[in-house]
Amino acid sequence: MKYLIALALLIISLSIHALPIPASTLYRSPMMSHVTFTPDGKHISALIVEEGKSYISLIDTRDKEYQHIGSFDSDERLSEYSWINDEVLYIHYVKRGESRHVLLKLSEKEGKFTSELVPLPNDSYLVDPLVDEPNHVLFAKNRYDGRLSYQLYKLTLAQLLDKDFDKGSLVEQKLKDVAFFGWDNIRKALFAVTVDIEAMKGEVLYRELTDRRWKQLFEITDKKVQFSPIGFIGDDKLAVLSNENTDKIALYEFDIASQKLGKLIYEHPKYDLVSGEVNNAGNGISSVTYVENGQHVIQFLDSGTTEGDSLIKHHFKGKEGVVSAYAPDNKHQVLFVYASNDPGSYYLYDQEADKVELLTELNPELMAFDLSDTQVFSVESVPGVNVEGYLTLPNSQSRNGVLLVMPHGGPIGRRDYNYFNNDTQYFASRGFAVLRVNFRGSEGYGKSFLNSGKGEFGKAIEQDITAAVNHVRKQYSFEKMCAMGASYGGYSALMLAIKHPKDYQCAIGAYGVYDLPLLFNGSNYKVLEEYRKAVSEVVGELSDDLLKYSPVYLADKIEAPVLLIAGKEDRIADFEHSQRMQYVLEKQGKRVEHLYYDKTAHGQNTWYWQQHENAYVADYLKRTLALSEYHEMAGVKPELAHQLGYDLAIIADGYNFDNKVENSPSQALAYYHQAALAGDGRSAYNYGVKLVQKGKQLLKETQGKQTTELMGGDDSQEGTRLVADGISWVEIGSSLGYASASNWLGLLYDDGEEVTQDLAKAVEFYSAAVEQGYDARSQLRMGKIYCLAKDELRDVKRCTELLALSKLADLPKQDQKNAVTDDSRKLLHWIISQLYTYGHFDAKEIQLIQDLVKQEYGVSDVQVMLEGVEAGAIEYSRYYKKYRIYEKRKRFDASPSLVLGMVFEVEPQKGVDQQSKVAFIAKWTKEDDKGRKEIVQTNFLWGSQEDTWSTRISFGDDELFKGKLTVELSDLNNNLLATKTLELL
């Protein structure tokens, strides 16, 4: 069993300070989320992430030991879950974009849990477990196929497990076209959202469970508007999710009497909200949920109760927190505690003992780093206008003298918080000071302050930011500054560089708007009057005056280098903004770099691509501002340097593989080189292999030609040098523990193409690959050498031990250091054919190999006869569902499209079981027109004796020849059973 606390304490003991944090450490799923108590209060349940895999787990409140009761595959994401009773859990998850609903039945024996999944109809969902009515649930099920219209049932748990809706009680069946049923447990009220597709309108209704009359809360007339009730937060107010006044679905107060949306409670800057929770007092919102990187993320808000606040202040001075879960008897609570330099931790609070115990850090690996505090300050921008700023300073040992000014997005109705911020900590750990400002228009400082930012693009907003910058620069000395931001922050970054060209040494705009008039006509949707009105309120009326505040028309004033980042599918800040900005900067000879992502909208939506984007920005800052390498910062040890190298490797991968970034071989090579220098073994391997490929290509191009001068030497010398350098880098990758590098080197010395064949070295590298966890192929190839070597390496017994793939596959998965894959199974087929073709064995050794083949393939020793042996041009017949010879000629014109083969049938000895499996070795030998012979292909054939067998050969452009081609078929005792010779003209 594992313990969360033990893991946290281990990391504390390894704590180090003032070091750059790898992107892969910061941008990742939280270790624990979706925390609640089981109905009996004996366990805490949560979603746990370990080594990239997600589990539903139970944590014992007494000893904090935990065990997994359910897991999710890589393409599955938990949406929500609810306890129906102590033995049954309802789970809603998403698999490849489709909703799935299941019940998890638990059984406990001697403290150990086993579980069983009971699938539920996909067109149904749990409305509420009805905690006041044990063993009863409210459950919604769609009444039609292909049309949304839910019915509401009250079922016993037994009826739900049996999916027996006919015996359940229909709570609501008359209401038509119901898209959603909800339940407010505090006021015992039902909600229903109905949709009239033809009329393009909907209604939000509510009633008490025992009442039959529905009351209208709200009518939805705009087809683009979403409106979903969360629950009552007062007698006359409702919390609702809506996008009536915002681009994204946000959480609002809704006034029932006036039928109008009121105060914005919470809006995420990047994502739609998918749900929210009313606190236990029924007077506020405890949390909201959104989907980030494919995971449902819970954002805790103020609890609305002084009890939770006082509890946090008493036990965690200087930090903030909320009560995230209450035990049914209220004797235990789970606290979530966080700060600007702490991503958060879950604690178990024992009320009777007034004691807190750590369950886990949200990101335990961050405990090994010195996270930076954030200073909060206020500055007067203009007389009567004070703005709040957040300054995060790096550790004094790592400061690089650069201030990053990071305006937030929006700009209206958004704000920065003094919470833990991944981006802030990522750059602060690399020596940057980070400044964030809640300028005019920011939410949280009153309506007047919010409205004062409207229409102030490039004006009052940038004035406020500059006031905060000047305030900070009076207190601290910075050698350089860079402005960077996303969305409005991207616009602001460029405007700051335009307004203060001498102050900023670079500007980074991500997903930004740079041509304000384009906001009004960027798409068909954006020419609609309602949209233009909304934009006018925030940006200002469409007029030539907007050109004065559009970076596209002010590019001549930019002196700093610019990095533009954009998503090609962005519908908020259309991709056209970035393209226009890039065009005018290039036209004017400005330094501009771009990073454009395919299949990306207004920001990244996976952890991986967040890592990629921030790693690229960090590298851009380093290059542009002439800073030192991050992996060379004081105190960075090899293991951390390797992780920092992985940041660069992610950038290289973007340029190397088919993904969201346009490929660039030169950029991929350069970044792999940088990552290799930092100690990333995979990058050393990739860099080395690419050098070898370049060298081989150069040698191929110069083969047979008179060499020309290149870089002080001829082409062949340069090709040879590249190959040698590449092999050296792959050896570095092997020494850094990268298994693929070791396996590659094993192949290199095994084949002896670019180097002199050295089987002892090949075994050394194959052995290293096995130890480093490469799949079973390294082990198999090592076995082949032991069987076919002609010197002291020869060891047929060891060979057959290494080739025993079935024994490796039979090991428990946790003990399979070297995975048995389809590729390794195919390799074993080929190796067996090689042993029979090239091996010279005594009787004892032959027996070892035969025993191996029998063990791996279940073949028998029966003697067989062959019938119907034919050779010639071969093809697969879909009609007969087998290969057949369609031309039996002995002479054929050599062509890449030509496929030759032999077919035959197997006749066993009389009295032998027809189902026995047999095996053969097929050997293809070519003899060219000068009489030179060469074995060009071997095949191991095995199976039952029921069908027609075949062996086939085809030719690449560089494999064509004129001469004879002979195929020989032998059994496992090396008895020649058949031979055919064909001629190529």
Side-chain angles (χ1 to χ4, degrees):
M1 279 298 165
K2 301 174 183 176
Y3 295 84
L4 296 175
I5 292 179
L7 175 61
L9 293 177
L10 173 64
I11 294 176
I12 289 174
S13 68
L14 300 175
S15 182
I16 51 180
H17 301 286
L19 298 175
I21 306 172
S24 57
T25 299
L26 260 175
Y27 301 94
R28 59 190 303 175
S29 297
M31 184 172 180
M32 179 184 284
S33 61
H34 295 76
V35 180
T36 189
F37 283 91
T38 55
D40 62 11
K42 294 180 181 179
H43 292 85
I44 299 163
S45 60
L47 180 70
I48 299 292
V49 176
E50 285 183 345
E51 298 178 355
K53 191 171 178 64
S54 301
Y55 304 88
I56 292 284
S57 304
L58 293 180
I59 307 165
D60 195 301
T61 57
R62 295 164 299 179
D63 57 16
K64 316 308 172 297
E65 184 178 355
Y66 74 101
Q67 52 186 301
H68 303 317
I69 58 173
S71 63
F72 297 93
D73 292 335
S74 59
D75 59 352
E76 297 173 341
R77 298 287 182 266
L78 175 66
S79 178
E80 61 177 333
Y81 72 92
S82 300
W83 287 97
I84 295 176
N85 62 25
D86 292 317
E87 291 81 35
V88 180
L89 187 65
Y90 164 79
I91 299 175
H92 172 208
Y93 67 98
V94 178
K95 182 179 180 71
R96 297 174 186 171
E98 294 185 2
S99 285
R100 303 290 175 88
H101 306 266
V102 297
L103 295 177
L104 188 72
K105 290 176 61 179
L106 292 179
S107 300
E108 183 182 8
K109 186 177 182 180
E110 298 179 353
K112 307 299 180 185
F113 288 94
T114 57
S115 59
E116 174 191 354
L117 279 180
V118 179
L120 296 171
N122 285 334
D123 61 349
S124 66
Y125 66 92
L126 179 71
V127 176
D128 196 82
L130 293 179
V131 294
D132 295 335
E133 297 187 52
N135 292 320
H136 284 82
V137 298
L138 284 177
F139 205 82
K141 187 177 185 303
N142 199 20
R143 70 175 84 188
Y144 304 119
D145 288 332
R147 175 185 164 193
L148 208 58
S149 185
Y150 283 103
Q151 290 179 306
L152 185 63
Y153 292 83
K154 187 176 182 181
L155 304 170
T156 66
L157 180 54
Q159 290 166 347
L160 182 59
L161 286 166
D162 292 337
K163 297 182 276 290
D164 192 350
F165 293 92
D166 291 337
K167 292 183 180 178
S169 172
L170 263 173
V171 176
E172 179 55 60
Q173 60 179 326
K174 294 182 178 179
L175 204 58
K176 295 181 179 180
D177 301 323
V178 179
F180 168 79
F181 279 114
W183 171 252
D184 186 304
N185 192 52
I186 297 173
R187 286 171 173 75
K188 312 303 178 189
L190 279 172
F191 293 101
V193 178
T194 64
V195 178
D196 186 336
I197 300 296
E198 293 182 0
M200 297 307 297
K201 69 176 184 178
E203 289 182 305
V204 178
L205 310 169
Y206 80 104
R207 70 170 172 86
E208 293 180 359
L209 184 60
T210 55
D211 198 348
R212 294 296 174 185
R213 293 173 300 172
W214 289 93
K215 302 174 186 176
Q216 187 187 76
L217 275 175
F218 186 75
E219 184 176 37
I220 305 170
T221 55
D222 187 340
K223 64 181 179 181
K224 295 183 294 296
V225 169
Q226 296 195 35
F227 189 95
S228 302
I230 297 301
F232 286 96
I233 50 176
D235 293 334
D236 57 352
K237 288 183 180 178
L238 196 67
V240 299
L241 295 176
S242 176
N243 61 349
E244 181 180 7
N245 297 333
T246 49
D247 171 72
K248 296 178 181 63
I249 299 172
L251 188 65
Y252 289 90
E253 288 183 356
F254 176 74
D255 184 81
I256 297 174
S258 67
Q259 292 285 290
K260 291 183 178 180
L261 291 178
K263 176 185 175 183
L264 174 67
I265 301 173
Y266 183 87
E267 180 187 12
H268 193 281
K270 293 174 66 176
Y271 307 114
D272 286 329
L273 300 185
V274 296
S275 65
E277 290 288 335
V278 176
N279 62 32
N280 286 352
N283 61 2
I285 299 296
S286 61
S287 67
V288 292
T289 302
Y290 52 88
V291 178
E292 180 179 39
N293 307 318
Q295 299 277 2
H296 282 72
V297 178
I298 298 175
Q299 172 71 53
F300 294 110
L301 306 179
D302 292 337
S303 63
T305 62
T306 57
E307 177 189 356
D309 294 339
S310 60
L311 181 60
I312 300 299
K313 290 177 181 177
H314 174 63
H315 287 281
F316 304 96
K317 289 180 172 57
K319 295 196 175 184
E320 297 184 61
V322 294
V323 178
S324 65
Y326 292 85
D329 60 6
N330 212 30
K331 291 182 180 179
H332 289 91
Q333 299 168 13
V334 173
L335 311 178
F336 180 68
V337 180
Y338 55 92
S340 64
N341 63 346
D342 180 358
S345 306
Y346 283 100
Y347 290 85
L348 179 63
Y349 173 64
D350 185 330
Q351 187 166 319
E352 292 181 348
D354 192 27
K355 176 184 175 183
V356 293
E357 291 183 86
L358 176 68
L359 292 173
T360 183
E361 299 279 344
L362 216 61
N363 187 343
E365 290 188 21
L366 280 181
M367 296 180 66
F369 296 89
D370 183 27
L371 301 175
S372 299
D373 291 322
T374 295
Q375 304 175 17
V376 182
F377 66 89
S378 180
V379 62
E380 189 175 52
S381 174
V382 295
V385 177
N386 290 291
V387 296
E388 188 173 74
Y390 305 119
L391 178 64
T392 306
L393 293 173
N395 186 287
S396 59
Q397 301 170 3
S398 61
R399 291 180 184 177
N400 60 19
V402 179
L403 175 65
L404 296 182
V405 182
M406 295 176 61
H408 66 68
I412 309 303
R414 304 283 174 79
R415 61 164 296 162
D416 277 316
Y417 292 89
N418 188 24
Y419 298 157
F420 182 86
N421 182 285
N422 283 337
D423 296 343
T424 298
Q425 295 296 333
Y426 183 75
F427 291 105
S429 75
R430 281 157 176 72
F432 297 94
V434 180
L435 174 64
R436 297 171 296 147
V437 183
N438 282 331
F439 42 74
R440 273 173 276 185
S442 300
E443 188 266 341
Y445 301 92
K447 184 176 290 187
S448 176
F449 187 85
L450 185 144
N451 289 334
S452 66
K454 293 179 178 179
E456 294 296 330
F457 276 52
K459 294 178 275 189
I461 292 176
E462 279 59 49
Q463 186 179 30
D464 291 348
I465 296 170
T466 301
V469 169
N470 293 337
H471 173 80
V472 168
R473 293 179 73 181
K474 287 178 183 177
Q475 297 180 337
Y476 303 96
S477 175
F478 299 103
E479 298 170 12
K480 299 174 182 177
M481 287 204 309
C482 185
M484 58 181 287
S487 195
Y488 178 83
Y491 163 88
S492 183
L494 266 65
M495 284 303 297
L496 289 169
I498 289 167
K499 285 177 165 292
H500 309 280
K502 301 301 180 184
D503 290 338
Y504 291 91
Q505 281 67 52
C506 70
I508 302 172
Y511 314 99
V513 291
Y514 310 116
D515 186 344
L516 297 186
L518 185 62
L519 286 171
F520 292 86
N521 55 22
S523 66
N524 290 337
Y525 170 67
K526 292 183 177 180
V527 300
L528 297 176
E529 183 59 34
E530 60 218 62
Y531 176 85
R532 294 165 69 92
K533 182 178 179 181
V535 172
S536 296
E537 183 180 2
V538 174
V539 180
E541 294 295 333
L542 177 60
S543 68
D544 290 343
D545 194 50
L546 292 181
L547 302 181
K548 301 176 184 177
Y549 304 99
S550 295
V552 163
Y553 304 100
L554 304 170
D556 61 310
K557 294 181 171 58
I558 295 179
E559 297 182 11
V562 172
L563 169 62
L564 298 173
I565 301 172
K568 293 182 180 179
E569 296 181 5
D570 196 337
R571 298 295 177 263
I572 297 173
D574 296 292
F575 181 43
E576 178 71 15
H577 283 278
S578 296
Q579 290 181 300
R580 290 186 180 188
M581 194 71 236
Q582 178 191 348
Y583 176 79
V584 296
L585 286 170
E586 289 176 344
K587 272 291 187 182
Q588 297 187 24
K590 307 291 185 178
R591 286 179 58 189
V592 58
E593 198 171 303
H594 69 270
L595 179 61
Y596 296 154
Y597 291 98
D598 293 326
K599 301 175 184 176
T600 302
H602 199 57
Q604 304 297 349
N605 60 1
T606 68
W607 290 123
Y608 178 86
W609 288 108
Q610 283 191 35
Q611 293 171 19
H612 181 278
E613 184 175 316
N614 282 281
Y616 190 94
V617 169
D619 182 72
Y620 175 81
L621 290 168
K622 179 203 71 180
R623 290 184 283 109
T624 304
L625 302 179
L627 304 175
S628 300
E629 298 286 348
Y630 301 122
H631 68 271
E632 294 177 352
M633 291 173 64
V636 174
K637 295 180 179 178
E639 177 56 33
L640 178 57
H642 157 68
Q643 294 179 50
L644 296 170
Y646 179 69
D647 282 15
L648 297 167
I650 291 175
I651 303 174
D653 290 342
Y655 288 121
N656 190 43
F657 300 116
D658 291 331
N659 47 42
K660 292 186 176 185
V661 179
E662 185 177 356
N663 283 0
S664 170
S666 61
Q667 288 280 61
L669 189 67
Y671 276 108
Y672 279 135
H673 187 206
Q674 289 184 56
L677 290 171
D680 182 60
R682 181 175 70 89
S683 295
Y685 164 71
N686 286 342
Y687 180 63
V689 169
K690 287 181 178 298
L691 289 182
V692 170
Q693 291 170 344
K694 287 181 67 175
K696 288 173 67 176
Q697 182 62 32
L698 195 55
L699 289 170
K700 183 178 179 180
E701 291 171 356
T702 58
Q703 193 172 23
K705 298 179 181 178
Q706 185 174 4
T707 57
T708 57
E709 291 296 314
L710 176 71
M711 297 175 63
D714 63 40
D715 292 352
S716 62
Q717 290 176 339
E718 176 66 7
T720 302
R721 184 191 67 78
L722 286 172
V723 169
D725 285 352
I727 292 171
S728 297
W729 276 105
V730 179
E731 288 175 345
I732 291 172
S734 173
S735 69
L736 291 169
Y738 189 59
S740 292
S742 299
N743 183 71
W744 188 89
L745 290 165
L747 288 168
L748 183 78
Y749 287 102
D750 193 350
D751 295 339
E753 289 188 11
E754 284 80 34
V755 296
T756 302
Q757 186 182 51
D758 188 333
L759 295 182
K761 267 194 171 184
V763 167
E764 176 187 339
F765 284 117
Y766 283 143
S767 181
V770 170
E771 287 302 310
Q772 292 161 353
Y774 199 77
D775 68 43
R777 286 176 292 174
S778 290
Q779 178 174 311
L780 296 177
R781 289 190 178 276
M782 188 161 44
K784 169 179 165 285
I785 291 176
Y786 283 127
C787 264
L788 297 181
K790 296 183 175 126
D791 51 25
E792 63 273 9
L793 279 175
R794 182 182 173 86
D795 186 341
V796 177
K797 185 174 185 299
R798 177 65 176 143
C799 162
T800 54
E801 290 172 349
L802 290 170
L803 297 182
L805 206 58
S806 60
K807 290 185 177 180
L808 185 59
D810 288 341
L811 290 173
K813 279 199 173 180
Q814 62 269 24
D815 297 332
Q816 286 186 22
K817 187 175 182 179
N818 310 106
V820 178
T821 63
D822 289 342
D823 286 338
S824 56
R825 291 187 177 94
K826 291 176 184 176
L827 179 60
L828 181 58
H829 297 171
W830 177 78
I831 288 176
I832 289 173
S833 71
Q834 294 286 292
L835 300 188
Y836 275 95
T837 300
Y838 296 103
H840 301 283
F841 306 106
D842 59 30
K844 186 177 179 181
E845 291 170 339
I846 281 285
Q847 190 61 54
L848 285 171
I849 293 172
Q850 288 179 338
D851 289 344
L852 169 74
V853 177
K854 293 173 187 177
Q855 171 188 296
E856 295 300 309
Y857 300 99
V859 297
S860 67
D861 289 329
V862 298
Q863 298 294 317
V864 297
M865 300 279 293
L866 301 187
E867 293 185 347
V869 180
E870 296 179 343
I874 193 171
E875 67 177 3
Y876 183 78
S877 170
R878 293 186 177 180
Y879 178 79
Y880 293 105
K881 296 183 179 179
K882 62 183 179 181
Y883 283 94
R884 67 183 187 91
I885 302 298
Y886 68 92
E887 283 192 59
K888 299 179 184 178
R889 302 187 281 116
K890 290 190 176 181
R891 292 182 175 85
F892 296 89
D893 291 328
S895 165
S897 62
L898 179 65
V899 180
L900 299 175
M902 173 194 282
V903 299
F904 59 94
E905 294 179 355
V906 178
E907 179 68 26
Q909 281 186 340
K910 291 182 179 180
V912 176
D913 181 6
Q914 294 288 320
Q915 299 303 317
S916 296
K917 290 183 179 179
V918 292
F920 306 95
I921 304 297
K923 180 175 69 174
W924 292 83
T925 304
K926 78 173 184 180
E927 181 181 351
D928 64 18
D929 51 8
K930 296 182 180 179
R932 292 174 297 198
K933 292 185 178 181
E934 178 187 356
I935 298 172
V936 291
Q937 180 175 298
T938 62
N939 302 110
F940 171 64
L941 312 175
W942 68 283
S944 65
Q945 306 166 17
E946 293 183 314
D947 209 346
T948 301
W949 294 56
S950 68
T951 177
R952 304 170 301 282
I953 189 169
S954 57
F955 309 91
D957 289 330
D958 56 350
E959 296 172 332
L960 294 175
F961 72 98
K962 292 181 179 181
K964 295 178 180 179
L965 186 67
T966 300
V967 56
E968 297 174 304
L969 196 69
S970 305
D971 64 17
L972 296 184
N973 293 305
N974 283 325
N975 296 315
L976 183 62
L977 302 177
T979 181
K980 293 284 185 180
T981 298
L982 304 171
E983 189 173 353
L984 295 177
L985 305 176

